[in-house]
Structures are given as structure tokens and as C-alpha cells.
Amino acid sequence: QVQLVESGGGLVQAGGSLRLSCVASRDIFSINYIGWYRQAPGKQRELVAGITRRGSTTCADSVKGRFTISRDNAKNTVYLQMKSLKPEDTAVYYCYAQVLPNDYWGQGTQVTVSS
């Protein structure tokens, strides 16, 4: 089992930056996969970026070159650095962890980008 706590969301103008944090309640090396998802009003939840236990990363095409996922093993924390934010990035951002055979979600953090 793992608890995930996100933070770092807020209101920012287009072109601005935010860094989201996801703190896990256990050693992140014991977690197969940690990802950031987002859900905008009226839309399905979508993968933004993810990182495997071995450190391999993936990123959605819509955020490539703007968002970066990273981790601090000592702090059991995964970050999502977001730059050049656009209004269409507005959503609730969720941290996700896969600890086989289960999936875990954080409570979400709101990101609002004004034009």
C-alpha cells in the first residue's frame, strides 16, 4: 500500500511555470511506476508523464519540451516541472502509483492557467 500527497498547484498566467510534487509514503524504489495524470472538466483523465523504477520516463506529446518528470529518491518525491504553461493545461493533476497488483491515486491538485 502507498499514500500519495500532491502539492504545488495554483493559478498562473499563460507562459508561466509551476512545479508539482508527489510525496509517497514508502520508498519509491519499491514502486513499479509513478505517473502524473490530469483531468480537465468534461474530459477523460489522461497521462501527462511517468517514470519507472529504473528511471525511464515517458511524456505525452502535448507537453513534450515543456514538462519534465523527475524524482528525489531520498525524499520519496516525484516532481512535475511545468514550463510555458497554456490555458489548455488547466486541469486537476493527479499522482498515480503502481504497486502490483494495485493502483493508487493521490487526491489531486488544481492547476489553472489564465490567458
Side-chain angles (χ1 to χ4, degrees), residues 6-79:
E6 303 104 329
S7 63
L11 174 64
V12 63
Q13 289 188 332
S17 299
L18 284 173
R19 188 179 76 162
L20 305 183
S21 300
C22 172
V23 180
S25 61
R26 62 188 284 173
D27 185 350
I28 57 175
F29 276 124
S30 69
I31 301 174
N32 296 325
Y33 179 85
I34 298 179
W36 285 98
Y37 286 72
R38 67 185 181 186
Q39 188 166 20
K43 295 188 177 181
Q44 289 189 331
R45 193 171 295 188
E46 62 176 359
L47 174 67
V48 177
I51 186 166
T52 69
R53 182 188 304 173
R54 295 183 179 181
S56 298
T57 61
T58 57
C59 201
D61 289 342
S62 59
V63 304
K64 277 182 181 176
R66 300 189 299 121
F67 291 10
T68 303
I69 189 169
S70 64
R71 67 187 183 193
D72 184 331
N73 300 329
K75 296 182 179 179
N76 290 334
T77 301
V78 174
Y79 302 101

